[in-house]
Amino acid sequence: MQSDVTVCILSAVEPPLSACLKSVEAQQGGPYPTVRIHDVFPMSQAFNAMVERCQSRFIVQVDGDIVLESWAVQALYSFIRRTPLVYVAWGQLWERYDDGLRAGGSVRIWRRWPLRLFRFRDRRCVDRDLHTRIRLTGMRRVQVPAGWRFGTHYPRESPFARFSKARGDAMKWRVLGRADLIKAHHKQYPPGLSIDALGRLSGL
């Protein structure tokens, strides 16, 4: 078993897709130790639980609605292992839409020790807060080049999942000062949830 890398599968409310679990088991260069974080809130606590429960030097973070290509983990690991000033490297995913596939989302490999030092904080944009602090050390986050996408993101279609994503996006966009994005994407919100209602939920 590969002991230098742990694959961490994160999910909330709904369990990981069976195809997600199968794609992790089928990764080249494995088997890899696997940790599952389910129903831990807020997001910062879920990410910190990932760091605490994974004891390897590197952590591959996989959301439960992602299906990886068989070479994804090995490619991420090979890249970050030879780039010591990179604390996180990410691979581009496809995202499934009603009209087909487009680029969207990512799978990430983290160097564990910077996460143990800086930790995730309970902020609206959890990742952005961490990146802002770690980059002061001179370390970087980079995209791993590849001739193909590292996998496919299959967004959940349950009413709760659609509502939760819409609400989370609205709250994030509020922090970023992007109320225009809420209005531009109103057609993707759950039925019966108006822009005004979503705005009130997020404080807009």
Side-chain angles (χ1 to χ4, degrees), residues 155-192:
R156 302 301 180 103
E157 294 298 327
S158 69
F160 176 84
R162 295 172 64 196
F163 168 79
S164 180
K165 183 179 187 309
R167 182 175 182 272
D169 285 346
M171 297 178 79
K172 177 176 68 176
W173 292 334
R174 175 190 175 225
V175 171
L176 299 175
R178 298 299 304 275
D180 59 306
L181 290 178
I182 297 177
K183 296 176 181 178
H185 290 78
H186 70 279
K187 293 182 180 179
Q188 298 180 18
Y189 294 159

Side-chain angles (χ1 to χ4, degrees), residues 90-103:
W90 58 277
Q92 182 70 65
L93 299 171
W94 292 113
E95 183 152 346
R96 172 71 68 180
Y97 291 89
D98 292 340
D99 59 348
L101 293 174
R102 295 196 292 273

Side-chain angles (χ1 to χ4, degrees), residues 29-127:
Y32 298 93
T34 303
V35 168
R36 291 170 62 174
I37 306 293
H38 181 65
D39 275 356
V40 177
F41 302 98
M43 184 181 295
S44 58
Q45 290 303 313
F47 287 171
N48 285 327
M50 170 183 74
V51 177
E52 291 161 5
R53 292 179 56 185
C54 297
Q55 300 302 310
S56 55
R57 292 175 59 208
F58 303 100
I59 303 169
V60 176
Q61 177 189 337
V62 180
D63 292 341
D65 52 5
I66 288 172
V67 177
L68 297 175
E69 296 290 342
S70 62
W71 47 267
V73 171
Q74 193 170 50
L76 291 167
Y77 174 53
S78 296
F79 181 87
I80 200 169
R81 187 174 53 178
R82 64 177 185 268
T83 50
L85 291 180
V86 170
Y87 68 93
V88 61
W90 58 277
Q92 182 70 65
L93 299 171
W94 292 113
E95 183 152 346
R96 172 71 68 180
Y97 291 89
D98 292 340
D99 59 348
L101 293 174
R102 295 196 292 273
S106 65
V107 55
R108 294 177 283 188
I109 185 167
W110 299 90
R111 198 177 295 275
R112 183 169 177 260
W113 75 259
L115 302 185
R116 294 185 65 196
L117 179 63
F118 287 90
R119 297 185 62 79
F120 293 94
R121 301 191 299 189
D122 188 14
R123 299 291 189 272
R124 181 57 56 198
C125 299
V126 176
D127 288 6

